[in-house]
Amino acid sequence: MVVIGDDAAEGGDAGETPRRTTMGVNRCPFMHGSVTCDPYPGYVHGARPGVCPRGCAPTPRETSRAEDAGAKLKREAEEFIRLYGKERGIGEDDTDRRLREVLESIASTGTYAHTIDELRHGARVAWRNAPKCINRKFWQTMEIVDARECATNEDMFTAVKAHLSRCIESDHVPVLMTIFKPQTPGTNDGARIWNSQLLRYAGHRGDGEETIGDPAELNFTDCLKKYFGWKPKGDEPGMFDLLPVVCQINPNVAPDVFELPEECVLEVPIHHPECAGISALGLKWYGIPAVSNITMDLGGLLYTAAPFNGWYMVTEIATRNFGDEGRYNLLPKIAQAMGIDTSTEETLWRDHALAAINYAVLHSFKRARVSMVDHHTAAASFAQWRAEELATRGYSPGNWKWVLPPTAASTSSLYLGLNKMTEYTLKPALVGGTGLKTLLFRAKRNGFISTEKLGSALYIMQAAAKFKKKMMHVKGGLVLYASDGGRTQARAFALWNFLRQRLPMVRPINMANPDADFSVIFSEGVEFVIILASTTGSGAIPTGSELFMNFTKTEAGNVLKGIHYAVCAFGSSAYPKFCAGGKQFAKRLSEVGAREMFPTVTADQLGGEDNSVHEFMVKFFDWLLQDGRITLSLRNLMLENFESRTSVKPAFSLYIQPQDAGGVQMSAPTIGAPAILTARTQLGTLGTLATVQTSFKLVQGKRGVDYYREGDHVAVHPRTSKALAAYFAAHFDIKLSDNLFIVPLNERDAYKGTIDPAIPNPVTIEYLFTSVLDINAEPSCDLLSVLSHYVEEEECRKELESLAQDEARRIEWIQDSGVRICSIFDHFPTLSALHRESDISMDLLRDCLLLFPKLRARLYSVSSSPLTSGSDEFDLTVGRVQYRAGTRLKLGFCSDFLASMPLQSTVNIVHRPAPEFRMPRKETTPILMIAGGTGIAPFKGFVERRLHSNNASSQGEAIMVFGCRTRANELYRDFMTEACDRGALSQYLVGYSRESDTPKAYVSDVLLANADVVKRIIDHDGHIYVCGDVRIEASARDALVAIVGEDTIRALEESRRYSLDIFGAWDIQTSHNRRLENTKSISREKSL
């Protein structure tokens, strides 16, 4: 594991010492606090154990251990609070105020509590200070789970499961720490996890000296069998029997043993791509290295249960766990599997075996898409980081023997460059937990365990889980993509799939992937970059892609200077900031000195998107020709193939395995958190297709945890119905219960992870068609082109070819027929396996798989306040999207899903913070809320918060301006009226645009009619919020400019007092019609 030593040091609690001393607060300007030799001993491979440039030296262990406990708590608390204040940029006055609070709490209660941000920052610094860790470079990425409220062993195990599930469900293994309540100073009452790691294999005693499994776990396995009655699941002890987890919330509570469910376990089979003998050994290892018997020493408080994981370095598994004689000792078996003579050392069989097993482990983890780093990359990364750390921080402790990789050590600059590094103890610190002997002694003393009586329950739960990760390796050219909904990602993979056989150096990387080390990627010979980027929100770059933006602003980003780039920006012209996301990337690359191949091409979702992509590719081919990278004949051939949509055979095959074959049952990965639909209320008076309010409760939510705030968004992951998915699957002659395996055609592609990372591998057909692929989407030109190769009738083939090559005709056909991917076989029956004799179903599915769009999450504004119902409950306002395709009435996929799902059923959601659309911090700040239609959603939450205050006199003025068609469309009339009566709203102003007995009035008219109100809000430093479709924002802005002028509105924007939450689809029918008109117009221009 890369985070800390594979085995935490054992040790009991420190005993009493008769003589007590005091140590003063360390005032070194480098802010490292008091440095000691306990437990890390100040060991140095050189002359002087110096700490910082000022010359501070570690305090001897005898001195630090003799310090008075009360004085030590106050000293360490002060040192941490001051360190926290400095590193978090908090002013001295606020730091002093917080320190006084802490010291007063210690004086009155004997302890104090860390805030959540103090806890997070302290945990990160503790990892930063860990002297035995080679991967500390990523200390700032650590996330924590605050589990201090856990009160029982069962609560602890629930948190442990959530920790492991979060690691498995993430796109990359995160650096994660779950922190339970700290030990009360002066006592031993802290929570404990007895295991050395959350995941670990048992060590069984065999005949004689033989060990079956991991010898490192012999004592713990004996303990489980003797005192807790544990037995492995199989009839016979095995090499890889997962140990249960022992949780103890307090030494005065009996420990409990819990068996981990399968959804919390990720194991990687070890396979060597060239040596079948190694693959036949049946080796495997778990993917999440979570140290659990560990204590975090933070600000004088000991968090005795703080399980912590990063990701593995290959040598930790291959060299140490598999190779060490004191562990699995597999090198002789590996050498024999390779056919190497082990009878003599002259064959260097150990070296060959080490190299082979390291390659096999790295290959297997990358193939399984589980995060892992090789030791060469880790060593080089640490060397660079430590140099930067010393230059900026002034100190960095380290243990040369632990940091140095155990394989090929002398090939690293660390071998000689760090042989003088000093190991000492910095606080905050991660130190070893309580030893097994001490834990057993306490449990026996309290009567919880004995050799005759079982003192604990065994909880066994069975479920299914799988996991996916991807490896990236780039050489030559590069495709980068930034995608929020999945459309641009699909474009990126389709583009790469076309180019990879012509320009094999081109491959896609997600800008939002934290595993992407751009400094390494761009240093490996990247000469040109193709960027495909969408736009989210009101002109923002997609979520997470700021990782790439931030990279361009670092010193390492200078590697981009001189690299050629081209940007294809995707967006909707319904938004005022059309394609702003892609334009931001182009601007930033230009600023860092990258060289533009040709001006940014914009692709409009409302019309001509395929034509714009065609324009982009033509310009790219021309640039390749002008730059001398391809010949004229190759340029023409590539263009001809692209325009004719020549089929490119994917670099993989598909294999179907029925669920009952060998008892294999694949599990589905979990996206987000499950939420139960608890209530649904019709809004307005429009009947069955009206807008509804849906109320949800998180399945695993806890009160007191801040899941969201007013104004935030919820990403809803809709599902296709099983019935529709089963109908679609039947056309490929497969069942929902079948398992699909994606098999790369060669090991190189498997190693590089060339399959779309959004598709789990393996995966059940049910999960693939209900939750991954959007079979409710329109068939694209590329998909129709592929289908044309599989029809036998000439007339149908020509029809498909024509639809694939004529964008306007394809859109018109879709508009008139309402065809979707799931119904394509109804229009072309001979494509279906149900209507043909030849079995080409798997070939058809293979060629179409990457062309099916992904089922993307839909964003909704939260319509509630956590102060009203609790942060684990929330409301959404869902407008039922309706449009006509020919003579058929069609409903929006996600809105219909939410509006028709049965009560008490679940849906997976992700809370998305919207920090730019939050209420003012001061309640006295006046606010003006402007909304149209379902844009009123976040303002219901705003008003709920003001109602909860119950003190209207202390709140600033609040004006709600709402626009809708008729009174039947007025969504929250009664609620807003009551809020006015109770003083939470100052005024509720409504404009009706189609009410028969009322003059037509839009939002702009209401604003202009109440210009004095608008001026008053602005003059009193108020905040303006606008939520709704793009027409509302444009109309409201025009009215505001007419009232106070353009300069005032721009000043509000610059001071962040003018906040927008805008969506583009105001009328889906109008949108469809406009899209068709735009595409026809572009087609006419091309023909001219």
Side-chain angles (χ1 to χ4, degrees):
M1 160 178 133
V2 179
V3 173
I4 195 170
D6 195 290
D7 298 291
E10 282 194 355
D13 299 299
E16 293 288 331
T17 53
R19 186 174 65 87
R20 291 300 179 191
T21 63
T22 58
M23 293 170 53
V25 173
N26 187 285
R27 304 292 184 182
C28 177
F30 288 95
M31 296 294 290
H32 49 62
S34 299
V35 185
T36 71
C37 298
D38 184 21
Y40 303 120
Y43 184 77
V44 59
H45 295 264
R48 297 180 57 193
V51 174
C52 67
R54 185 170 177 260
C56 295
T59 301
R61 179 176 304 186
E62 301 76 31
T63 303
S64 62
R65 286 195 172 184
E67 186 180 15
D68 178 78
K72 179 182 179 182
L73 173 59
K74 294 177 182 178
R75 174 182 58 78
E76 292 189 353
E78 179 173 351
E79 288 179 347
F80 171 68
I81 294 300
R82 295 205 180 280
L83 174 70
Y84 172 79
K86 176 190 175 185
E87 294 188 341
R88 297 293 287 164
I90 299 173
E92 288 187 10
D93 291 343
D94 289 336
T95 298
D96 291 338
R97 187 181 305 109
R98 172 58 178 157
L99 180 58
R100 286 194 297 271
E101 293 175 357
V102 168
L103 295 178
E104 288 171 2
S105 177
I106 293 174
S108 60
T109 67
T111 187
Y112 70 103
H114 290 118
T115 67
I116 185 66
D117 196 62
E118 287 171 352
L119 194 64
R120 180 186 298 107
H121 187 70
R124 290 174 174 176
V125 176
W127 183 28
R128 185 185 191 183
N129 292 340
K132 296 180 179 179
C133 177
I134 194 174
N135 213 34
R136 287 178 272 162
K137 172 182 179 179
F138 301 98
W139 67 274
Q140 294 183 85
T141 67
M142 177 197 283
E143 291 298 328
I144 68 165
V145 176
D146 186 359
R148 289 178 289 181
E149 293 184 356
C150 290
T152 66
N153 295 342
E154 289 80 7
D155 289 345
M156 287 185 70
F157 184 58
T158 298
V160 166
K161 291 190 295 181
H163 181 117
L164 292 172
S165 296
R166 180 170 172 179
C167 293
I168 291 174
E169 294 162 7
S170 301
D171 287 338
H172 65 100
V173 176
V175 180
L176 185 65
M177 178 183 285
T178 295
I179 304 174
F180 297 93
K181 59 185 176 183
Q183 185 166 277
T184 303
T187 74
N188 293 322
D189 66 354
R192 263 88 175 176
I193 295 175
W194 288 31
N195 307 59
S196 61
Q197 295 186 26
L198 296 181
L199 297 171
R200 197 72 159 171
Y201 294 123
H204 306 283
R205 297 187 187 275
D207 297 330
E209 298 294 323
E210 180 189 10
T211 297
I212 303 170
D214 192 348
E217 294 297 327
L218 269 175
N219 292 336
F220 187 56
T221 304
D222 288 345
C223 167
L224 289 170
K225 292 178 178 179
K226 183 177 181 179
Y227 299 112
F228 299 93
W230 178 77
K231 294 180 180 179
K233 293 180 180 179
D235 295 332
E236 297 293 333
M239 289 178 63
F240 302 104
D241 293 331
L242 276 169
L243 290 166
V245 177
V246 180
C247 297
Q248 189 175 21
I249 193 65
N250 187 297
N252 296 321
V253 175
D256 280 323
V257 181
F258 300 87
E259 196 80 38
L260 282 168
E262 291 182 4
E263 68 260 29
C264 296
V265 179
L266 168 66
E267 294 179 293
V268 179
I270 305 303
H271 165 74
H272 196 290
E274 299 171 4
C275 181
I278 294 178
S279 302
L281 292 176
L283 306 179
K284 62 179 178 179
W285 204 258
Y286 48 85
I288 311 299
V291 175
S292 51
N293 189 2
I294 189 173
T295 294
M296 180 171 66
D297 192 338
L298 172 59
L301 300 183
L302 297 179
Y303 290 87
T304 52
F308 169 39
N309 74 270
W311 52 87
Y312 267 118
M313 183 168 71
V314 61
T315 53
E316 296 184 275
I317 298 174
T319 302
R320 301 304 307 275
N321 297 346
F322 285 158
D324 279 5
E325 290 185 356
R327 299 295 296 279
Y328 277 80
N329 193 24
L330 291 173
L331 294 186
K333 289 184 178 180
I334 293 169
Q336 292 168 10
M338 299 171 67
I340 302 175
D341 182 9
T342 60
S343 64
T344 174
E345 298 294 344
E346 293 181 354
T347 59
L348 301 180
W349 60 269
R350 301 178 198 275
D351 303 77
H352 290 293
L354 271 177
I357 191 59
N358 272 276
Y359 179 70
V361 169
L362 184 62
H363 163 82
S364 301
F365 269 65
K366 297 305 181 182
R367 184 180 185 182
R369 299 173 187 172
V370 179
S371 301
M372 172 173 277
V373 64
D374 66 270
H375 47 296
H376 298 288
T377 299
S381 176
F382 180 84
Q384 178 189 14
W385 172 78
R386 186 170 186 272
E388 295 171 354
E389 190 81 335
L390 291 175
T392 57
R393 195 186 191 200
Y395 56 96
S396 179
N399 185 310
W400 182 78
K401 293 182 297 183
W402 275 84
V403 170
L404 198 66
T407 299
S410 62
T411 64
S412 166
S413 63
L414 304 183
Y415 186 73
L416 294 177
L418 299 184
N419 65 352
K420 291 186 173 66
M421 69 191 315
T422 303
E423 181 187 37
Y424 44 82
T425 303
L426 285 178
K427 303 288 183 70
L430 299 176
V431 299
T434 307
L436 181 61
K437 290 183 179 179
T438 302
L439 293 170
L440 282 172
F441 172 79
R442 292 177 183 169
K444 290 179 180 179
R445 181 184 60 192
N446 291 332
F448 296 142
I449 62 175
S450 68
T451 55
E452 295 81 22
K453 180 181 177 181
L454 300 182
S456 171
L458 182 64
Y459 294 80
I460 301 177
M461 294 160 283
Q462 299 295 332
K466 265 295 177 186
F467 191 59
K468 64 182 182 63
K469 294 291 165 192
K470 81 170 183 177
M471 156 73 178
M472 296 168 300
H473 183 73
V474 186
K475 187 177 181 180
L478 174 66
V479 175
L480 286 176
Y481 66 89
S483 177
D484 231 7
R487 289 170 55 86
T488 305
Q489 176 182 331
R491 288 281 190 185
F493 273 86
L495 172 63
W496 166 73
N497 197 41
F498 175 82
L499 291 175
R500 65 181 175 81
Q501 294 187 10
R502 286 89 175 178
L503 301 169
M505 71 285 287
V506 178
R507 53 175 291 103
I509 288 182
N510 186 356
M511 294 187 195
N513 191 333
D515 279 344
D517 190 339
F518 295 110
S519 60
V520 175
I521 290 169
F522 283 99
S523 66
E524 294 186 349
V526 173
E527 297 176 344
F528 65 87
V529 182
I530 294 176
I531 292 180
L532 279 67
S534 60
T535 301
T536 187
S538 183
I541 60 177
T543 306
S545 55
E546 60 271 7
L547 288 174
F548 177 73
M549 280 294 204
N550 293 337
F551 163 74
T552 67
K553 300 173 184 177
T554 64
E555 185 176 348
N558 292 334
V559 72
L560 295 169
K561 187 175 182 179
I563 287 181
H564 298 275
Y565 73 92
V567 177
C568 187
F570 294 85
S572 168
S573 57
Y575 287 86
K577 297 179 180 179
F578 174 51
C579 289
K583 293 174 182 177
Q584 289 181 57
F585 287 114
K587 179 182 179 182
R588 183 60 198 150
L589 285 171
S590 174
E591 290 172 348
V592 299
R595 301 164 63 185
E596 187 179 61
M597 300 182 198
F598 46 84
T600 297
V601 174
T602 57
D604 188 358
Q605 181 183 345
L606 291 184
E609 185 175 275
D610 281 353
N611 292 321
S612 297
V613 173
H614 176 273
E615 175 192 350
F616 178 84
M617 292 304 295
V618 170
K619 291 183 176 180
F620 176 60
F621 295 152
D622 289 342
W623 177 82
L624 290 173
L625 175 63
Q626 295 167 8
D627 204 53
R629 296 173 184 269
I630 60 174
T631 63
L632 178 61
S633 58
L634 180 56
R635 179 263 182 201
N636 293 337
L637 178 62
M638 291 173 68
L639 181 58
E640 179 183 345
N641 290 342
F642 184 77
E643 290 180 337
S644 64
R645 303 186 187 277
T646 300
S647 178
V648 178
K649 185 178 180 181
F652 59 89
S653 59
L654 301 180
Y655 170 65
I656 291 291
Q657 183 182 57
Q659 180 179 336
D660 57 358
V664 177
Q665 191 172 22
M666 300 299 168
S667 62
T670 303
I671 302 175
I676 297 177
L677 176 65
T678 58
R680 182 166 43 231
T681 306
Q682 179 177 313
L683 301 176
T685 57
L686 288 180
T688 57
L689 294 181
T691 298
V692 296
Q693 175 182 287
T694 54
S695 300
F696 292 91
K697 182 179 179 63
L698 292 176
V699 174
Q700 298 176 340
K702 291 186 177 181
R703 292 296 177 96
V705 178
D706 293 331
Y707 293 107
Y708 74 94
R709 293 173 61 182
E710 300 85 2
D712 284 352
H713 298 150
V714 169
V716 176
H717 292 268
R719 299 184 299 271
T720 300
S721 70
K722 288 186 180 180
L724 183 59
Y727 175 73
F728 186 63
H731 292 295
F732 294 99
D733 196 24
I734 51 180
K735 301 176 181 177
L736 293 187
S737 59
D738 290 342
N739 302 314
L740 177 71
F741 292 78
I742 304 173
V743 184
L745 297 181
N746 57 67
E747 293 295 340
R748 177 181 62 82
D749 285 336
Y751 181 76
K752 289 185 176 181
T754 58
I755 310 306
D756 191 333
I759 303 177
N761 185 23
V763 63
T764 64
I765 296 300
E766 177 182 334
Y767 185 73
L768 182 69
F769 287 157
T770 61
S771 302
V772 179
L773 303 179
D774 188 0
I775 62 174
N776 303 277
E778 302 172 356
S780 66
C781 292
D782 291 327
L783 179 61
L784 294 173
S785 177
V786 167
L787 294 176
S788 70
H789 293 86
Y790 284 91
V791 293
E792 297 175 347
E793 296 81 358
E794 183 68 14
E795 183 178 350
C796 289
R797 183 180 61 79
K798 289 183 177 179
E799 174 71 5
L800 281 167
E801 289 178 347
S802 174
L803 292 170
Q805 295 174 13
D806 189 335
E807 173 75 351
R809 186 167 182 268
R810 180 186 71 91
I811 292 178
E812 188 171 9
W813 171 61
I814 290 172
Q815 299 278 71
D816 292 340
S817 65
V819 64
R820 292 294 182 264
I821 291 174
C822 56
S823 62
I824 194 75
F825 294 104
D826 297 337
H827 295 264
F828 300 96
T830 57
L831 284 170
S832 171
L834 303 176
H835 296 281
R836 62 191 306 161
E837 296 180 1
S838 58
D839 185 13
I840 49 86
S841 302
M842 283 302 96
D843 291 340
L844 177 60
L845 181 57
R846 176 203 65 202
D847 291 352
C848 295
L849 187 63
L850 296 185
L851 298 178
F852 291 145
K854 306 306 180 296
L855 194 55
R856 61 186 178 86
R858 272 67 163 182
L859 289 180
Y860 291 86
S861 294
V862 179
S863 305
S864 56
S865 168
L867 299 180
T868 301
S869 56
S871 186
D872 60 338
E873 298 184 29
F874 60 92
D875 297 336
L876 302 180
T877 302
V878 181
R880 299 289 293 272
V881 177
Q882 308 170 43
Y883 63 97
R884 289 197 173 275
T887 59
R888 302 179 182 179
L889 178 67
K890 308 289 284 187
L891 300 176
F893 176 60
C894 190
S895 63
D896 183 56
F897 171 79
L898 289 174
S900 60
M901 63 186 292
L903 292 178
Q904 300 304 313
S905 56
T906 62
V907 61
N908 287 338
I909 64 97
V910 175
H911 284 294
R912 296 274 185 88
E916 299 298 324
F917 207 80
R918 295 269 172 81
M919 296 181 70
R921 292 185 178 182
K922 295 182 179 179
E923 288 189 346
T924 55
T925 302
I927 59 175
L928 171 62
M929 299 168 283
I930 306 170
T934 56
I936 199 173
F939 300 134
K940 176 176 173 285
F942 283 22
V943 176
E944 280 189 3
R945 183 181 183 92
R946 291 174 62 90
L947 283 168
H948 187 270
S949 174
N950 260 340
N951 188 3
S953 61
S954 67
Q955 298 183 18
E957 190 175 9
I959 311 297
M960 179 76 240
V961 176
F962 179 60
C964 58
R965 292 184 175 182
T966 66
R967 291 186 178 87
N969 300 106
E970 195 173 347
L971 303 181
Y972 291 108
R973 177 172 52 199
D974 294 342
F975 172 80
M976 294 297 176
T977 302
E978 180 187 354
C980 286
D981 295 340
R982 293 174 55 183
L985 266 182
S986 307
Q987 287 181 272
Y988 174 49
L989 308 172
V990 186
Y992 305 111
S993 61
R994 299 187 186 180
E995 187 63 62
S996 58
D997 60 349
T998 303
K1000 179 181 292 188
Y1002 295 99
V1003 163
S1004 56
D1005 299 316
V1006 177
L1007 289 170
L1008 291 170
N1010 293 273
D1012 56 331
V1013 174
V1014 174
K1015 291 178 180 178
R1016 185 172 67 247
I1017 293 289
I1018 296 175
D1019 290 344
H1020 287 79
D1021 296 326
H1023 199 126
I1024 298 178
Y1025 299 88
V1026 182
C1027 184
D1029 61 54
V1030 292
R1031 295 176 307 168
I1032 292 292
E1033 195 276 333
S1035 174
R1037 185 185 177 88
D1038 289 344
L1040 293 171
V1041 169
I1043 296 170
V1044 297
E1046 179 69 33
D1047 292 342
T1048 300
I1049 298 302
R1050 287 183 179 176
L1052 289 174
E1053 291 174 331
E1054 292 174 359
S1055 61
R1056 297 187 176 182
R1057 290 166 52 207
Y1058 184 74
S1059 298
L1060 304 177
D1061 188 355
I1062 305 301
F1063 45 90
W1066 62 88
D1067 181 333
I1068 201 70
Q1069 188 69 56
T1070 303
S1071 174
H1072 276 273
N1073 295 339
R1074 177 178 170 183
R1075 181 180 169 209
L1076 178 58
E1077 293 169 5
N1078 288 348
T1079 306
K1080 286 182 175 180
S1081 175
I1082 293 173
S1083 297
R1084 285 194 297 269
E1085 291 176 4
K1086 289 183 66 176
S1087 64
L1088 293 175

